[in-house]
């Protein structure tokens, strides 16, 4: 009778049998029945952990980087032959026109907005607006009460009104016309004979001063800044720039 007992299949423990079929779906079929007789053996199979980790990754970020780079590249422009600030501003729809473009790039362009060299990199769009806004809120400049200060103040006013001209061009003409004396007056030429003598640093007659007076300057042809600015405005209309004037004008 004892020999028959040797061939009987040993009874599986109730807890081990339950653990062998634990899990979701068909995952439990992959668990080995032999040796899985303790709770530790049954729970040591993390079948779903990798899938949970993969779902947590953001997949959309790499696609956004090229768009940001393209936007940054579109904010600059390299000047080519034949360009003017007006043309560039129009071609790229710069808000505020060439004046905004110049204000944003004055440090690179210099005092004369009519002179830009090929290869110069200009800031456009949002970059131009930001630079112009920053320039608008900076503290007001102070100028010396002498020829150097008068010219520099005039150049800043001219830049705001789009009037071309350089420091050297103004200084050269001032020294020829008045030797730097803001109260100089010509009482001997044909204008003087007609009752409209030339006055001030750049020897402007009153009718010309009134016609080309620039808002924001004094209505006095002897005022050095007003005289320079009106004369440069006249020279720009007739000769393209005070820089092109090398004699009586």
């Amino acid at each position: 009778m004892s020999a028959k007992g040797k061939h009987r299949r040993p009874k599986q423990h109730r807890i081990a049998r339950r653990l062998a079929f634990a899990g979701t779906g068909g995952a439990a079929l992959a668990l080995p029945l032999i040796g899985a007789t303790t709770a530790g053996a049954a729970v040591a199979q993390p079948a779903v952990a990798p899938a949970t980790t993969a779902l947590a990754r953001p997949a959309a970020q790499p696609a956004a980087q090229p768009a940001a780079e393209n936007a940054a590249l579109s904010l600059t422009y390299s000047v080519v032959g034949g360009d003017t600030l007006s043309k560039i501003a129009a071609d790229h729809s710069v808000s505020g026109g060439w004046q905004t473009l110049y204000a944003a790039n004055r440090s690179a362009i210099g005092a004369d907005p009519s002179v830009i060299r090929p290869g110069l990199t200009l800031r456009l769009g949002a970059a131009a607006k930001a630079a112009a806004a920053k320039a608008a809120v900076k503290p007001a400049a102070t100028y010396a009460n002498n020829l150097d200060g008068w010219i520099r103040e005039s150049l800043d006013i001219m830049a705001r009104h789009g009037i071309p001209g350089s420091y050297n061009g103004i200084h050269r003409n001032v020294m020829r016309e008045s030797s730097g004396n803001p109260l100089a007056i010509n009482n001997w030429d044909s204008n003087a004979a007609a009752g409209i003598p030339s006055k001030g640093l750049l020897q402007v007659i009153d009718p010309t001063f009134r016609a080309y007076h620039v808002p924001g300057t004094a209505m006095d042809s002897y005022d050095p800044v007003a005289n320079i600015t009106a004369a440069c405005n006249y020279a720009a209309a007739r000769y393209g720039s005070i820089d092109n004037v090398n004699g009586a004008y």
Side-chain angles (χ1 to χ4, degrees):
M1 310 316 308
S2 59
K4 291 183 180 179
K6 290 182 180 180
H7 295 282
R8 283 165 36 194
R9 187 181 298 240
K11 290 184 180 179
Q12 204 171 15
H13 194 281
R14 182 179 299 175
I15 295 177
R17 190 162 56 245
R18 287 179 182 173
L19 290 173
F21 288 92
T24 58
L29 296 178
L31 297 177
L33 297 179
I34 300 174
T37 58
T38 66
V43 297
Q45 307 289 332
V48 295
T52 303
T53 303
L55 290 175
R57 280 184 200 157
Q61 286 186 359
Q65 292 177 353
E69 292 172 1
N70 291 338
L73 290 174
S74 68
L75 296 178
T76 62
Y77 173 78
S78 183
V79 174
V80 298
D83 272 341
T84 64
L85 290 184
S86 296
K87 179 178 181 298
I88 296 169
D91 289 348
H92 296 273
S93 301
V94 175
S95 178
W98 73 265
Q99 291 92 338
T100 297
L101 186 59
Y102 178 58
N105 295 278
R106 179 167 181 171
S107 60
I109 296 171
D112 190 351
S114 66
V115 179
I116 53 175
R117 66 182 184 277
L120 180 67
T121 299
L122 302 179
R123 292 174 292 175
L124 305 174
K129 289 181 189 176
K134 184 177 180 181
V137 299
K138 69 179 181 181
T142 56
Y143 308 94
N145 188 27
N146 55 28
L147 181 57
D148 177 74
W150 301 330
I151 293 175
R152 294 186 185 281
E153 185 174 356
S154 294
L155 284 169
D156 283 346
I157 295 170
M158 290 161 59
R160 293 197 294 269
H161 290 272
I163 302 170
S166 69
Y167 185 101
N168 290 336
I170 294 172
H171 189 274
R172 181 184 71 247
N173 282 284
V174 164
M175 297 310 293
R176 185 191 66 252
E177 294 292 332
S178 67
S179 299
N181 177 11
L183 299 179
I185 184 170
N186 184 325
N187 287 315
W188 55 266
D189 67 2
S190 59
N191 287 324
I196 47 172
S198 302
K199 302 175 181 178
L201 289 174
L202 283 170
Q203 292 292 282
V204 183
I205 61 175
D206 284 342
T208 300
F209 177 81
R210 288 192 296 268
Y212 291 93
H213 173 261
V214 177
T217 62
M219 280 299 301
D220 177 5
S221 59
Y222 284 114
D223 180 88
V225 174
N227 187 282
I228 291 173
T229 312
C232 288
N233 195 22
Y234 163 74
R238 184 162 183 179
Y239 304 102
S241 171
I242 190 70
D243 295 345
N244 299 329
V245 177
N246 294 288
Y249 66 115

